[in-house]
Amino acid sequence: MYCTRKITDNIYWIGGSDRRLSRFENIFPIPRGVSYNSYIILDEKTVLMDTVDYSISRQFIENLEYTLNGRGLDYIVINHMEPDHCAVIGDILMRYPDAKLIGNAKTFGMIDQFFEDMKYEKIVVKEGDTVSTGTHTLRFVMAPMVHWPETMVTYDESTGILFSADAFGTFGALDGIIFADEVNFDRDWLDDARRYYTNIVGKYGAQVQALLKKAAALDIKMLAPLHGPVWRKDPDYILDKYNKWSAYEPEDKAVMIAYASMYGNTENMANALACMLAEDGVSVRVYDVSGTDVSELIAETFRVSHIVLASPTYNGGIYPVMESFINDMKALNVQNRTVALMDNGTWAPVASKQMAKELEAMKNITLLDKSFSIKSVVLRSQTEELKAFKDALKSSME
Ligand code: FEO
């Protein structure tokens, strides 16, 4: 049975959702599933905007055949060549061999890497080129490294829809809905949108900023990404989030305390600090790095202005899970944050010193000059010292 949604008069969503996949890219947990969006324009010519992951190919082909209703397929626009959107190109061409593929020079290099000896007709486009399909004119805008080198986005001049590839996408299956205004996005989707962006595209802030500049010159009425809901009302909401995330600007003046703890003593130190901060009215959340997926930790580093890292000393260095989290922060270009350090070590607490060394290699990280250290447990005799650490952190937020 088909499962499609109407986007405008002759444009339909014909994608699908996967709730069986436990990890996106085999890394990121997706307890709410994920959607793979594909759109079709039924104009004088018929145009498929991207395809889908192999996992939902059966549903997708049913949707495609239903919406085409016996018509042929004239064009397939390939905005992004990652297999979650392109795995079924070969199958579609077997059914619709006359369809011409539209992509840029880099797209076709990748097609030949993924699909050996596949025969197809191609239209190679570059920045600003247009293709008319009858009443619609599609303009192609290059978006390199958002988040692959061949990525482009397609602007439909007649409807103002920007088919935006992965940009403005989010994790989460679509439960029959297709528009962001059909859900409580802030409450139910924003965390997953942030987690999707920061972990998958987060490294490429400069390239996203370049795309946002190009987008600002377009009269965007709707954003149609490859994952998650379509933005038909208030696209500025998600544009503003992307602007903040890609500029590495915090969304909230808030503290994230990420701790690692072997026996609960470093955890106690983190909790004691959290109590003192909360008592002073500071917004704070506490995370156990051993029990929290690193994709959630990364998303939180993009949300908050201040990060506290609290680690035991382990093998004369940083506790391994904490070290791995710091490595991910580096890889994803986390920057413009104030970081405060706490450590524990029964005979030689050195984790803060080593974490500082790692953080110094990162861009625009301000290390709080005060740190806090314990040997085994937090002693009541250290109360004033801990308060002074909290005060220094709080002052840095003013
Ligand atoms: Fe959703 Fe970069 O693929």
Side-chain angles (χ1 to χ4, degrees), residues 24 34-35 37 39 85 146 162-172 174 185 189-198 200-201 211 223-231 238-239 241-242 245:
F24 187 76
V34 65
S35 78
N37 298 340
Y39 307 89
H85 308 294
V146 180
L162 184 69
F163 296 96
S164 60
D166 278 338
F168 316 115
T170 173
F171 294 135
L174 295 169
F185 195 88
W189 287 78
L190 178 60
D191 286 348
D192 261 334
R194 187 187 301 107
R195 193 165 64 90
Y196 173 84
Y197 171 83
T198 55
I200 290 170
V201 190
L211 175 61
L223 288 168
L226 288 176
H227 302 283
V230 169
W231 293 84
I238 197 74
L239 283 163
K241 293 288 181 201
Y242 262 63
W245 295 334

mmCIF file of all heavy atoms in Angstrom, residues 24 34-35 37 39 85 146 162-172 174 185 189-198 200-201 211 223-231 238-239 241-242 245:
data_model
loop_
_atom_site.group_PDB
_atom_site.id
_atom_site.type_symbol
_atom_site.label_atom_id
_atom_site.label_comp_id
_atom_site.label_asym_id
_atom_site.label_seq_id
_atom_site.Cartn_x
_atom_site.Cartn_y
_atom_site.Cartn_z
ATOM 1 N N PHE A 24 22.109 4.755 13.225
ATOM 2 C CA PHE A 24 22.316 5.449 11.960
ATOM 3 C C PHE A 24 23.810 5.485 11.666
ATOM 4 O O PHE A 24 24.614 5.773 12.556
ATOM 5 C CB PHE A 24 21.750 6.874 12.096
ATOM 6 C CG PHE A 24 21.735 7.652 10.816
ATOM 7 C CD1 PHE A 24 20.780 7.398 9.846
ATOM 8 C CD2 PHE A 24 22.668 8.655 10.590
ATOM 9 C CE1 PHE A 24 20.762 8.126 8.663
ATOM 10 C CE2 PHE A 24 22.651 9.383 9.414
ATOM 11 C CZ PHE A 24 21.694 9.120 8.449
ATOM 12 N N VAL A 34 14.282 6.787 11.817
ATOM 13 C CA VAL A 34 14.758 7.855 10.925
ATOM 14 C C VAL A 34 13.913 7.803 9.657
ATOM 15 O O VAL A 34 13.437 6.734 9.274
ATOM 16 C CB VAL A 34 16.270 7.674 10.600
ATOM 17 C CG1 VAL A 34 16.535 6.404 9.798
ATOM 18 C CG2 VAL A 34 16.854 8.888 9.889
ATOM 19 N N SER A 35 13.721 8.956 9.052
ATOM 20 C CA SER A 35 13.021 8.953 7.759
ATOM 21 C C SER A 35 14.019 9.246 6.646
ATOM 22 O O SER A 35 15.033 9.921 6.868
ATOM 23 C CB SER A 35 11.896 9.991 7.733
ATOM 24 O OG SER A 35 12.420 11.288 7.536
ATOM 25 N N ASN A 37 13.689 10.965 3.099
ATOM 26 C CA ASN A 37 12.713 11.715 2.318
ATOM 27 C C ASN A 37 13.080 11.735 0.838
ATOM 28 O O ASN A 37 14.246 11.910 0.484
ATOM 29 C CB ASN A 37 12.619 13.157 2.823
ATOM 30 C CG ASN A 37 12.150 13.225 4.264
ATOM 31 O OD1 ASN A 37 11.548 12.277 4.771
ATOM 32 N ND2 ASN A 37 12.421 14.330 4.924
ATOM 33 N N TYR A 39 11.090 13.261 -2.884
ATOM 34 C CA TYR A 39 9.946 14.056 -3.334
ATOM 35 C C TYR A 39 9.783 13.878 -4.835
ATOM 36 O O TYR A 39 10.768 13.646 -5.552
ATOM 37 C CB TYR A 39 10.186 15.545 -3.030
ATOM 38 C CG TYR A 39 10.539 15.808 -1.572
ATOM 39 C CD1 TYR A 39 11.873 15.780 -1.144
ATOM 40 C CD2 TYR A 39 9.544 16.067 -0.631
ATOM 41 C CE1 TYR A 39 12.202 16.010 0.190
ATOM 42 C CE2 TYR A 39 9.874 16.301 0.704
ATOM 43 C CZ TYR A 39 11.199 16.280 1.111
ATOM 44 O OH TYR A 39 11.520 16.510 2.426
ATOM 45 N N HIS A 85 20.577 7.861 0.630
ATOM 46 C CA HIS A 85 19.705 8.546 -0.323
ATOM 47 C C HIS A 85 19.870 8.044 -1.747
ATOM 48 O O HIS A 85 19.116 8.461 -2.628
ATOM 49 C CB HIS A 85 19.962 10.053 -0.284
ATOM 50 C CG HIS A 85 19.900 10.602 1.102
ATOM 51 N ND1 HIS A 85 18.732 10.618 1.833
ATOM 52 C CD2 HIS A 85 20.865 11.084 1.918
ATOM 53 C CE1 HIS A 85 18.986 11.094 3.042
ATOM 54 N NE2 HIS A 85 20.275 11.381 3.127
ATOM 55 N N VAL A 146 28.558 19.953 3.003
ATOM 56 C CA VAL A 146 27.401 19.988 3.908
ATOM 57 C C VAL A 146 26.623 18.695 3.683
ATOM 58 O O VAL A 146 25.515 18.698 3.237
ATOM 59 C CB VAL A 146 26.502 21.208 3.637
ATOM 60 C CG1 VAL A 146 25.303 21.258 4.579
ATOM 61 C CG2 VAL A 146 27.273 22.505 3.688
ATOM 62 N N LEU A 162 13.030 24.877 -1.067
ATOM 63 C CA LEU A 162 14.440 24.513 -1.160
ATOM 64 C C LEU A 162 14.568 23.044 -0.765
ATOM 65 O O LEU A 162 14.304 22.678 0.385
ATOM 66 C CB LEU A 162 15.306 25.385 -0.239
ATOM 67 C CG LEU A 162 16.818 25.135 -0.346
ATOM 68 C CD1 LEU A 162 17.370 25.618 -1.691
ATOM 69 C CD2 LEU A 162 17.583 25.818 0.796
ATOM 70 N N PHE A 163 14.934 22.219 -1.735
ATOM 71 C CA PHE A 163 15.225 20.807 -1.450
ATOM 72 C C PHE A 163 16.659 20.785 -0.940
ATOM 73 O O PHE A 163 17.609 20.976 -1.701
ATOM 74 C CB PHE A 163 15.039 19.963 -2.722
ATOM 75 C CG PHE A 163 13.618 19.955 -3.209
ATOM 76 C CD1 PHE A 163 13.199 20.840 -4.200
ATOM 77 C CD2 PHE A 163 12.685 19.076 -2.669
ATOM 78 C CE1 PHE A 163 11.884 20.855 -4.638
ATOM 79 C CE2 PHE A 163 11.355 19.081 -3.105
ATOM 80 C CZ PHE A 163 10.956 19.974 -4.093
ATOM 81 N N SER A 164 16.795 20.585 0.377
ATOM 82 C CA SER A 164 18.025 21.022 1.047
ATOM 83 C C SER A 164 18.997 19.898 1.407
ATOM 84 O O SER A 164 19.884 20.105 2.215
ATOM 85 C CB SER A 164 17.641 21.801 2.307
ATOM 86 O OG SER A 164 16.886 20.981 3.172
ATOM 87 N N ALA A 165 18.847 18.727 0.794
ATOM 88 C CA ALA A 165 19.731 17.588 1.096
ATOM 89 C C ALA A 165 19.692 17.301 2.608
ATOM 90 O O ALA A 165 18.640 17.401 3.229
ATOM 91 C CB ALA A 165 21.133 17.818 0.565
ATOM 92 N N ASP A 166 20.827 16.978 3.219
ATOM 93 C CA ASP A 166 20.806 16.668 4.655
ATOM 94 C C ASP A 166 20.557 17.908 5.528
ATOM 95 O O ASP A 166 20.173 17.779 6.698
ATOM 96 C CB ASP A 166 22.161 16.068 5.085
ATOM 97 C CG ASP A 166 22.273 14.580 4.777
ATOM 98 O OD1 ASP A 166 21.244 13.906 4.637
ATOM 99 O OD2 ASP A 166 23.423 14.100 4.682
ATOM 100 N N ALA A 167 20.830 19.084 4.981
ATOM 101 C CA ALA A 167 20.699 20.304 5.784
ATOM 102 C C ALA A 167 19.260 20.460 6.279
ATOM 103 O O ALA A 167 18.312 20.242 5.520
ATOM 104 C CB ALA A 167 21.093 21.528 4.959
ATOM 105 N N PHE A 168 19.118 20.839 7.527
ATOM 106 C CA PHE A 168 17.830 21.050 8.213
ATOM 107 C C PHE A 168 17.087 19.738 8.477
ATOM 108 O O PHE A 168 15.892 19.739 8.767
ATOM 109 C CB PHE A 168 16.937 22.044 7.439
ATOM 110 C CG PHE A 168 17.702 23.238 6.950
ATOM 111 C CD1 PHE A 168 17.879 23.481 5.588
ATOM 112 C CD2 PHE A 168 18.310 24.090 7.853
ATOM 113 C CE1 PHE A 168 18.629 24.560 5.139
ATOM 114 C CE2 PHE A 168 19.061 25.173 7.423
ATOM 115 C CZ PHE A 168 19.222 25.412 6.055
ATOM 116 N N GLY A 169 17.830 18.621 8.416
ATOM 117 C CA GLY A 169 17.224 17.321 8.684
ATOM 118 C C GLY A 169 17.319 16.958 10.153
ATOM 119 O O GLY A 169 17.944 17.665 10.955
ATOM 120 N N THR A 170 16.671 15.876 10.516
ATOM 121 C CA THR A 170 16.715 15.393 11.897
ATOM 122 C C THR A 170 16.485 13.883 11.946
ATOM 123 O O THR A 170 15.887 13.311 11.040
ATOM 124 C CB THR A 170 15.683 16.125 12.787
ATOM 125 O OG1 THR A 170 15.653 15.501 14.068
ATOM 126 C CG2 THR A 170 14.288 16.112 12.195
ATOM 127 N N PHE A 171 16.974 13.250 12.996
ATOM 128 C CA PHE A 171 16.609 11.862 13.268
ATOM 129 C C PHE A 171 15.125 11.825 13.613
ATOM 130 O O PHE A 171 14.537 12.831 14.006
ATOM 131 C CB PHE A 171 17.380 11.315 14.479
ATOM 132 C CG PHE A 171 18.874 11.185 14.285
ATOM 133 C CD1 PHE A 171 19.756 11.623 15.268
ATOM 134 C CD2 PHE A 171 19.404 10.604 13.141
ATOM 135 C CE1 PHE A 171 21.127 11.488 15.114
ATOM 136 C CE2 PHE A 171 20.779 10.461 12.976
ATOM 137 C CZ PHE A 171 21.644 10.910 13.964
ATOM 138 N N GLY A 172 14.545 10.628 13.582
ATOM 139 C CA GLY A 172 13.139 10.467 13.975
ATOM 140 C C GLY A 172 12.300 10.003 12.794
ATOM 141 O O GLY A 172 12.366 10.593 11.709
ATOM 142 N N LEU A 174 8.853 9.480 10.700
ATOM 143 C CA LEU A 174 7.686 10.356 10.506
ATOM 144 C C LEU A 174 6.428 9.513 10.720
ATOM 145 O O LEU A 174 6.152 8.610 9.953
ATOM 146 C CB LEU A 174 7.712 10.936 9.085
ATOM 147 C CG LEU A 174 8.893 11.870 8.792
ATOM 148 C CD1 LEU A 174 8.979 12.171 7.304
ATOM 149 C CD2 LEU A 174 8.775 13.159 9.596
ATOM 150 N N PHE A 185 7.577 20.635 17.713
ATOM 151 C CA PHE A 185 8.981 20.424 17.331
ATOM 152 C C PHE A 185 9.931 20.722 18.488
ATOM 153 O O PHE A 185 10.857 19.961 18.762
ATOM 154 C CB PHE A 185 9.346 21.277 16.110
ATOM 155 C CG PHE A 185 10.633 20.833 15.465
ATOM 156 C CD1 PHE A 185 10.633 19.854 14.481
ATOM 157 C CD2 PHE A 185 11.852 21.353 15.873
ATOM 158 C CE1 PHE A 185 11.820 19.404 13.911
ATOM 159 C CE2 PHE A 185 13.045 20.908 15.311
ATOM 160 C CZ PHE A 185 13.029 19.936 14.324
ATOM 161 N N TRP A 189 11.188 17.189 18.973
ATOM 162 C CA TRP A 189 12.114 16.949 17.865
ATOM 163 C C TRP A 189 13.438 17.693 17.970
ATOM 164 O O TRP A 189 14.440 17.282 17.371
ATOM 165 C CB TRP A 189 11.448 17.325 16.523
ATOM 166 C CG TRP A 189 10.408 16.351 16.089
ATOM 167 C CD1 TRP A 189 9.127 16.234 16.561
ATOM 168 C CD2 TRP A 189 10.555 15.309 15.105
ATOM 169 N NE1 TRP A 189 8.488 15.200 15.928
ATOM 170 C CE2 TRP A 189 9.327 14.622 15.023
ATOM 171 C CE3 TRP A 189 11.603 14.916 14.275
ATOM 172 C CZ2 TRP A 189 9.130 13.545 14.153
ATOM 173 C CZ3 TRP A 189 11.399 13.846 13.397
ATOM 174 C CH2 TRP A 189 10.174 13.174 13.352
ATOM 175 N N LEU A 190 13.431 18.812 18.696
ATOM 176 C CA LEU A 190 14.629 19.665 18.666
ATOM 177 C C LEU A 190 15.888 18.934 19.132
ATOM 178 O O LEU A 190 16.958 19.079 18.529
ATOM 179 C CB LEU A 190 14.399 20.930 19.503
ATOM 180 C CG LEU A 190 15.601 21.884 19.580
ATOM 181 C CD1 LEU A 190 16.012 22.369 18.188
ATOM 182 C CD2 LEU A 190 15.297 23.087 20.481
ATOM 183 N N ASP A 191 15.771 18.136 20.196
ATOM 184 C CA ASP A 191 16.963 17.438 20.701
ATOM 185 C C ASP A 191 17.549 16.507 19.634
ATOM 186 O O ASP A 191 18.760 16.416 19.474
ATOM 187 C CB ASP A 191 16.636 16.637 21.974
ATOM 188 C CG ASP A 191 16.468 17.538 23.184
ATOM 189 O OD1 ASP A 191 16.813 18.733 23.092
ATOM 190 O OD2 ASP A 191 15.982 17.057 24.221
ATOM 191 N N ASP A 192 16.661 15.822 18.902
ATOM 192 C CA ASP A 192 17.151 14.933 17.851
ATOM 193 C C ASP A 192 17.700 15.718 16.654
ATOM 194 O O ASP A 192 18.623 15.258 15.978
ATOM 195 C CB ASP A 192 16.047 13.968 17.381
ATOM 196 C CG ASP A 192 16.188 12.596 18.048
ATOM 197 O OD1 ASP A 192 17.313 12.246 18.441
ATOM 198 O OD2 ASP A 192 15.183 11.879 18.170
ATOM 199 N N ALA A 193 17.115 16.874 16.381
ATOM 200 C CA ALA A 193 17.622 17.711 15.284
ATOM 201 C C ALA A 193 19.038 18.176 15.615
ATOM 202 O O ALA A 193 19.946 18.149 14.771
ATOM 203 C CB ALA A 193 16.704 18.906 15.069
ATOM 204 N N ARG A 194 19.207 18.590 16.872
ATOM 205 C CA ARG A 194 20.533 19.057 17.307
ATOM 206 C C ARG A 194 21.530 17.909 17.275
ATOM 207 O O ARG A 194 22.661 18.043 16.830
ATOM 208 C CB ARG A 194 20.441 19.654 18.713
ATOM 209 C CG ARG A 194 21.736 20.300 19.172
ATOM 210 C CD ARG A 194 21.670 20.727 20.633
ATOM 211 N NE ARG A 194 20.610 21.659 20.917
ATOM 212 C CZ ARG A 194 19.488 21.348 21.586
ATOM 213 N NH1 ARG A 194 19.293 20.121 22.042
ATOM 214 N NH2 ARG A 194 18.560 22.255 21.807
ATOM 215 N N ARG A 195 21.105 16.734 17.733
ATOM 216 C CA ARG A 195 22.004 15.576 17.777
ATOM 217 C C ARG A 195 22.384 15.156 16.349
ATOM 218 O O ARG A 195 23.522 14.808 16.072
ATOM 219 C CB ARG A 195 21.336 14.406 18.531
ATOM 220 C CG ARG A 195 22.286 13.288 18.906
ATOM 221 C CD ARG A 195 21.667 12.371 19.953
ATOM 222 N NE ARG A 195 20.494 11.678 19.483
ATOM 223 C CZ ARG A 195 20.506 10.477 18.880
ATOM 224 N NH1 ARG A 195 21.643 9.836 18.708
ATOM 225 N NH2 ARG A 195 19.387 9.916 18.477
ATOM 226 N N TYR A 196 21.416 15.234 15.446
ATOM 227 C CA TYR A 196 21.693 14.903 14.041
ATOM 228 C C TYR A 196 22.711 15.902 13.468
ATOM 229 O O TYR A 196 23.744 15.521 12.920
ATOM 230 C CB TYR A 196 20.386 14.941 13.234
ATOM 231 C CG TYR A 196 20.622 14.786 11.756
ATOM 232 C CD1 TYR A 196 20.760 13.531 11.182
ATOM 233 C CD2 TYR A 196 20.747 15.901 10.932
ATOM 234 C CE1 TYR A 196 21.009 13.387 9.829
ATOM 235 C CE2 TYR A 196 20.996 15.771 9.582
ATOM 236 C CZ TYR A 196 21.130 14.518 9.035
ATOM 237 O OH TYR A 196 21.398 14.384 7.705
ATOM 238 N N TYR A 197 22.408 17.189 13.605
ATOM 239 C CA TYR A 197 23.292 18.200 13.013
ATOM 240 C C TYR A 197 24.701 18.117 13.591
ATOM 241 O O TYR A 197 25.701 18.061 12.863
ATOM 242 C CB TYR A 197 22.740 19.627 13.219
ATOM 243 C CG TYR A 197 23.797 20.634 12.785
ATOM 244 C CD1 TYR A 197 23.939 20.977 11.445
ATOM 245 C CD2 TYR A 197 24.719 21.159 13.703
ATOM 246 C CE1 TYR A 197 24.952 21.826 11.030
ATOM 247 C CE2 TYR A 197 25.737 22.002 13.290
ATOM 248 C CZ TYR A 197 25.849 22.335 11.947
ATOM 249 O OH TYR A 197 26.874 23.154 11.540
ATOM 250 N N THR A 198 24.784 18.137 14.927
ATOM 251 C CA THR A 198 26.101 18.309 15.546
ATOM 252 C C THR A 198 27.020 17.121 15.281
ATOM 253 O O THR A 198 28.216 17.295 15.094
ATOM 254 C CB THR A 198 25.962 18.526 17.071
ATOM 255 O OG1 THR A 198 25.217 17.440 17.633
ATOM 256 C CG2 THR A 198 25.246 19.820 17.371
ATOM 257 N N ILE A 200 26.732 14.849 12.698
ATOM 258 C CA ILE A 200 26.932 14.476 11.296
ATOM 259 C C ILE A 200 27.512 15.630 10.494
ATOM 260 O O ILE A 200 28.379 15.438 9.642
ATOM 261 C CB ILE A 200 25.616 13.934 10.706
ATOM 262 C CG1 ILE A 200 25.371 12.578 11.385
ATOM 263 C CG2 ILE A 200 25.668 13.783 9.194
ATOM 264 C CD1 ILE A 200 24.059 11.973 11.166
ATOM 265 N N VAL A 201 27.047 16.830 10.771
ATOM 266 C CA VAL A 201 27.488 17.985 9.977
ATOM 267 C C VAL A 201 28.363 18.925 10.816
ATOM 268 O O VAL A 201 29.051 19.792 10.269
ATOM 269 C CB VAL A 201 26.255 18.754 9.420
ATOM 270 C CG1 VAL A 201 26.667 19.790 8.397
ATOM 271 C CG2 VAL A 201 25.245 17.789 8.778
ATOM 272 N N LEU A 211 26.557 28.053 3.008
ATOM 273 C CA LEU A 211 25.250 27.682 2.434
ATOM 274 C C LEU A 211 24.158 28.625 2.956
ATOM 275 O O LEU A 211 23.272 29.039 2.203
ATOM 276 C CB LEU A 211 24.911 26.224 2.778
ATOM 277 C CG LEU A 211 23.515 25.753 2.341
ATOM 278 C CD1 LEU A 211 23.335 25.848 0.819
ATOM 279 C CD2 LEU A 211 23.239 24.323 2.799
ATOM 280 N N LEU A 223 11.306 24.473 3.412
ATOM 281 C CA LEU A 223 12.560 23.705 3.412
ATOM 282 C C LEU A 223 12.204 22.225 3.400
ATOM 283 O O LEU A 223 11.474 21.759 4.278
ATOM 284 C CB LEU A 223 13.377 24.012 4.671
ATOM 285 C CG LEU A 223 14.034 25.385 4.754
ATOM 286 C CD1 LEU A 223 14.556 25.629 6.177
ATOM 287 C CD2 LEU A 223 15.187 25.499 3.766
ATOM 288 N N ALA A 224 12.725 21.511 2.421
ATOM 289 C CA ALA A 224 12.396 20.086 2.289
ATOM 290 C C ALA A 224 13.693 19.275 2.390
ATOM 291 O O ALA A 224 14.383 19.050 1.404
ATOM 292 C CB ALA A 224 11.699 19.842 0.949
ATOM 293 N N PRO A 225 14.018 18.840 3.623
ATOM 294 C CA PRO A 225 15.268 18.096 3.821
ATOM 295 C C PRO A 225 15.113 16.609 3.497
ATOM 296 O O PRO A 225 14.014 16.130 3.233
ATOM 297 C CB PRO A 225 15.544 18.291 5.312
ATOM 298 C CG PRO A 225 14.201 18.475 5.934
ATOM 299 C CD PRO A 225 13.300 19.084 4.882
ATOM 300 N N LEU A 226 16.220 15.899 3.569
ATOM 301 C CA LEU A 226 16.221 14.466 3.265
ATOM 302 C C LEU A 226 15.889 13.601 4.481
ATOM 303 O O LEU A 226 15.725 12.385 4.346
ATOM 304 C CB LEU A 226 17.571 14.054 2.674
ATOM 305 C CG LEU A 226 17.833 14.549 1.243
ATOM 306 C CD1 LEU A 226 19.224 14.186 0.781
ATOM 307 C CD2 LEU A 226 16.799 13.987 0.276
ATOM 308 N N HIS A 227 15.865 14.196 5.665
ATOM 309 C CA HIS A 227 15.450 13.465 6.871
ATOM 310 C C HIS A 227 14.531 14.379 7.685
ATOM 311 O O HIS A 227 14.816 15.568 7.834
ATOM 312 C CB HIS A 227 16.650 13.129 7.772
ATOM 313 C CG HIS A 227 17.723 12.306 7.119
ATOM 314 N ND1 HIS A 227 17.609 10.963 6.903
ATOM 315 C CD2 HIS A 227 18.947 12.659 6.664
ATOM 316 C CE1 HIS A 227 18.722 10.498 6.344
ATOM 317 N NE2 HIS A 227 19.554 11.518 6.174
ATOM 318 N N GLY A 228 13.471 13.806 8.267
ATOM 319 C CA GLY A 228 12.640 14.581 9.199
ATOM 320 C C GLY A 228 11.636 15.475 8.504
ATOM 321 O O GLY A 228 11.490 15.439 7.278
ATOM 322 N N PRO A 229 10.927 16.294 9.303
ATOM 323 C CA PRO A 229 9.817 17.066 8.760
ATOM 324 C C PRO A 229 10.227 18.185 7.803
ATOM 325 O O PRO A 229 11.332 18.710 7.860
ATOM 326 C CB PRO A 229 9.158 17.670 10.008
ATOM 327 C CG PRO A 229 9.809 17.083 11.184
ATOM 328 C CD PRO A 229 11.082 16.452 10.754
ATOM 329 N N VAL A 230 9.252 18.559 6.967
ATOM 330 C CA VAL A 230 9.378 19.679 6.027
ATOM 331 C C VAL A 230 8.931 20.955 6.742
ATOM 332 O O VAL A 230 7.957 20.944 7.504
ATOM 333 C CB VAL A 230 8.467 19.420 4.796
ATOM 334 C CG1 VAL A 230 8.354 20.654 3.915
ATOM 335 C CG2 VAL A 230 8.980 18.222 3.999
ATOM 336 N N TRP A 231 9.654 22.035 6.483
ATOM 337 C CA TRP A 231 9.339 23.321 7.110
ATOM 338 C C TRP A 231 8.542 24.187 6.145
ATOM 339 O O TRP A 231 9.085 24.775 5.230
ATOM 340 C CB TRP A 231 10.646 24.023 7.530
ATOM 341 C CG TRP A 231 11.316 23.271 8.628
ATOM 342 C CD1 TRP A 231 12.152 22.200 8.490
ATOM 343 C CD2 TRP A 231 11.155 23.492 10.027
ATOM 344 N NE1 TRP A 231 12.529 21.735 9.725
ATOM 345 C CE2 TRP A 231 11.932 22.514 10.690
ATOM 346 C CE3 TRP A 231 10.439 24.412 10.794
ATOM 347 C CZ2 TRP A 231 12.010 22.436 12.075
ATOM 348 C CZ3 TRP A 231 10.512 24.339 12.165
ATOM 349 C CH2 TRP A 231 11.293 23.357 12.794
ATOM 350 N N ILE A 238 14.309 26.974 12.042
ATOM 351 C CA ILE A 238 15.413 26.017 11.890
ATOM 352 C C ILE A 238 16.625 26.694 11.253
ATOM 353 O O ILE A 238 17.769 26.339 11.548
ATOM 354 C CB ILE A 238 14.957 24.744 11.117
ATOM 355 C CG1 ILE A 238 15.941 23.583 11.300
ATOM 356 C CG2 ILE A 238 14.710 25.004 9.654
ATOM 357 C CD1 ILE A 238 15.896 22.928 12.650
ATOM 358 N N LEU A 239 16.385 27.713 10.425
ATOM 359 C CA LEU A 239 17.519 28.468 9.856
ATOM 360 C C LEU A 239 18.310 29.134 10.979
ATOM 361 O O LEU A 239 19.539 29.141 10.974
ATOM 362 C CB LEU A 239 17.012 29.525 8.870
ATOM 363 C CG LEU A 239 16.590 28.992 7.485
ATOM 364 C CD1 LEU A 239 15.737 30.013 6.751
ATOM 365 C CD2 LEU A 239 17.799 28.617 6.635
ATOM 366 N N LYS A 241 18.464 28.132 14.141
ATOM 367 C CA LYS A 241 19.204 27.083 14.881
ATOM 368 C C LYS A 241 20.478 26.725 14.120
ATOM 369 O O LYS A 241 21.558 26.605 14.705
ATOM 370 C CB LYS A 241 18.339 25.828 15.052
ATOM 371 C CG LYS A 241 17.142 26.009 15.957
ATOM 372 C CD LYS A 241 17.549 26.116 17.418
ATOM 373 C CE LYS A 241 16.339 26.286 18.327
ATOM 374 N NZ LYS A 241 16.661 26.866 19.622
ATOM 375 N N TYR A 242 20.351 26.546 12.819
ATOM 376 C CA TYR A 242 21.525 26.174 12.015
ATOM 377 C C TYR A 242 22.575 27.274 12.050
ATOM 378 O O TYR A 242 23.775 26.998 12.038
ATOM 379 C CB TYR A 242 21.114 25.854 10.571
ATOM 380 C CG TYR A 242 20.967 24.362 10.358
ATOM 381 C CD1 TYR A 242 20.004 23.638 11.053
ATOM 382 C CD2 TYR A 242 21.805 23.665 9.494
ATOM 383 C CE1 TYR A 242 19.879 22.273 10.893
ATOM 384 C CE2 TYR A 242 21.687 22.296 9.331
ATOM 385 C CZ TYR A 242 20.724 21.600 10.038
ATOM 386 O OH TYR A 242 20.625 20.239 9.885
ATOM 387 N N TRP A 245 24.298 26.885 15.470
ATOM 388 C CA TRP A 245 25.112 25.668 15.551
ATOM 389 C C TRP A 245 26.345 25.788 14.667
ATOM 390 O O TRP A 245 27.445 25.417 15.076
ATOM 391 C CB TRP A 245 24.290 24.443 15.142
ATOM 392 C CG TRP A 245 23.144 24.112 16.066
ATOM 393 C CD1 TRP A 245 23.060 24.429 17.401
ATOM 394 C CD2 TRP A 245 21.930 23.431 15.743
ATOM 395 N NE1 TRP A 245 21.863 23.972 17.913
ATOM 396 C CE2 TRP A 245 21.152 23.342 16.934
ATOM 397 C CE3 TRP A 245 21.412 22.856 14.579
ATOM 398 C CZ2 TRP A 245 19.894 22.726 16.970
ATOM 399 C CZ3 TRP A 245 20.163 22.236 14.617
ATOM 400 C CH2 TRP A 245 19.420 22.177 15.797
#
